[in-house]
Structure formats: structure tokens, C-alpha cells
Amino acid sequence: NYSKANESFLEAVAVFRKLGDKWQEAESHWEYAYNQGTYLFNYNEAIARYRTAYGLYMEAADSVNASVMLSNIGQNYWSKLDFEKAIESHQAAIALARKCRNLTQVASSWSKLATLFTETNNPVAAKEALSSTVEALQQLNDSTKLSTAYQDLAASYVKTKEFSAAFDYYNKAIGILKKSNDTINLALAISNLANGYQSKTDFKQA
């Protein structure tokens, strides 16, 4: 029961506010905002609460969670189809996340921006965002997400007919998947590479 849950979250907000515990108050606003945006589709209310949580996290000197709030605001603007504000919010999240070395959020926001640019038919910006996602994941040494990001970047190069770069990234993904013995995703990556060769009309390689 999401309505009951929201009542409880608001009660928690009031309690932590009286106690002067800004961090816990921010957490309760986050939970409330998540319910509003994800399950009840009240995007404006979610955005307002995420902004409140952002301010409280900043007062509590928690830039890591504050950067996540900016990303969440971006996602809710995206749900409202307000793409300009969604992009601005994710860019703000990236800027703050970089300052506090929250590379996980840097990668996450760049990845979301890449999808957003793809959906709004901006392949050049999407490619740049994917390149930035890859850079952050490389610094994190997150091989699982990196193999997916390599393939997404490869696919963007196929779309712009930059096949040499595309095949290079597909092969990087395949190398990671071979090392991790991920046979299912390895098969999918090889299939994606074959589709890339087909797009180039290089049927011998495919």
C-alpha cells in the first residue's frame, strides 16, 4: 500500500526534522519521492521531494547522495518528457559526482544521458555520452557494466558507419566476456559483431 507507506515516510520526516537529523530526514524524503515517482507517477511531487532531499544531503555534507538526487530529478523530468530539464539535471549530477569522486554516479548519469540522446535522435551526443560512460567504468574497473557499455558504444558507431571503431569495441566486449566465462552474453556479443559486419555488407566476415 503505497499511500500508507508515504504516510509513514512523512511521519519519519517530521520526527527527524524535530531531532535535527538532516541526513535521516533526507533519506525519508528520498523514500517518499521514490514512491511518488516510481509507483504513483506523481512526477512533480517526486521532483520537489528529491530537491528537498538534495538540499538536506548538501547540508549534511553528503555530496555522494546529493548527486544521486540530481540524477533522480533528471529521471522524473524524463518521465514528464521534459528532455531539456532531464539533460540539465543529469549534467548537474555528473558535475557534483565528479567533485566528490562518485564515479558510479558519473557512469550512471552518462549512461542515462546516452539513452536519452538516442531516444531523442541525437546520435552524436549519444556517442559522446557513451564514451564518457566507458571512461568512468574503466576507472571503476567494472568489467560487467563495461562489456555492455562497449557494445552500446559499438552499436552507435555502426549507426554512423564508423565500422572500424565499432568492431574494435565489440571485440573489447568479447574479450571481457571470454575472461569471465559469460557464455550467454558472449554469444550475444558475437552475434552483435556479426550484425555489425552485415551492416557494413561484409558478408564474408559475418
Side-chain angles (χ1 to χ4, degrees), residues 34-102:
Y34 183 80
N35 264 5
Q36 288 288 352
T38 305
Y39 301 118
L40 300 175
F41 313 115
N42 295 329
Y43 303 122
N44 288 333
E45 176 66 12
I47 288 166
R49 291 288 175 165
Y50 280 131
R51 280 191 175 134
T52 300
Y54 163 79
L56 288 164
Y57 279 128
M58 291 299 285
E59 287 182 51
D62 184 351
S63 297
V64 171
N65 277 324
S67 66
V68 177
M69 295 306 97
L70 292 173
S71 176
N72 291 346
I73 290 168
Q75 288 303 97
N76 277 271
Y77 274 124
W78 189 347
S79 296
K80 282 169 55 96
L81 304 181
D82 190 337
F83 300 123
E84 185 176 342
K85 286 186 178 177
I87 291 166
E88 287 175 2
S89 297
H90 278 300
Q91 288 173 334
I94 290 164
L96 180 57
R98 277 178 171 160
K99 284 183 182 177
C100 63
R101 299 294 296 164
N102 182 8

Side-chain angles (χ1 to χ4, degrees), residues 8-20 25 28-29:
S8 298
F9 291 137
L10 291 178
E11 286 175 15
V13 164
V15 170
F16 290 125
R17 185 175 293 153
K18 281 184 180 179
L19 292 171
E25 185 186 345
S28 299
H29 281 293

Side-chain angles (χ1 to χ4, degrees), residues 82-130:
D82 190 337
F83 300 123
E84 185 176 342
K85 286 186 178 177
I87 291 166
E88 287 175 2
S89 297
H90 278 300
Q91 288 173 334
I94 290 164
L96 180 57
R98 277 178 171 160
K99 284 183 182 177
C100 63
R101 299 294 296 164
N102 182 8
L103 287 174
T104 300
Q105 186 56 54
V106 171
S108 176
S109 277
W110 275 123
S111 178
K112 289 180 173 70
L113 278 176
T115 304
L116 178 55
F117 287 134
T118 299
E119 288 189 4
T120 53
N121 198 29
N122 191 341
V124 174
K127 192 189 301 174
E128 290 173 355
L130 282 167

Side-chain angles (χ1 to χ4, degrees), residues 162-204:
E162 295 171 82
F163 295 107
S164 179
F167 301 150
D168 181 47
Y169 281 111
Y170 275 133
N171 282 315
K172 284 182 178 179
I174 288 167
I176 290 173
L177 295 167
K178 280 180 178 176
K179 282 183 182 177
S180 62
N181 292 317
D182 186 345
T183 52
I184 293 173
N185 284 314
L186 174 60
L188 290 170
I190 292 170
S191 176
N192 289 335
L193 175 61
N195 287 332
Y197 281 122
Q198 198 165 27
S199 296
K200 191 188 175 188
T201 62
D202 190 345
F203 297 114
K204 184 177 179 182

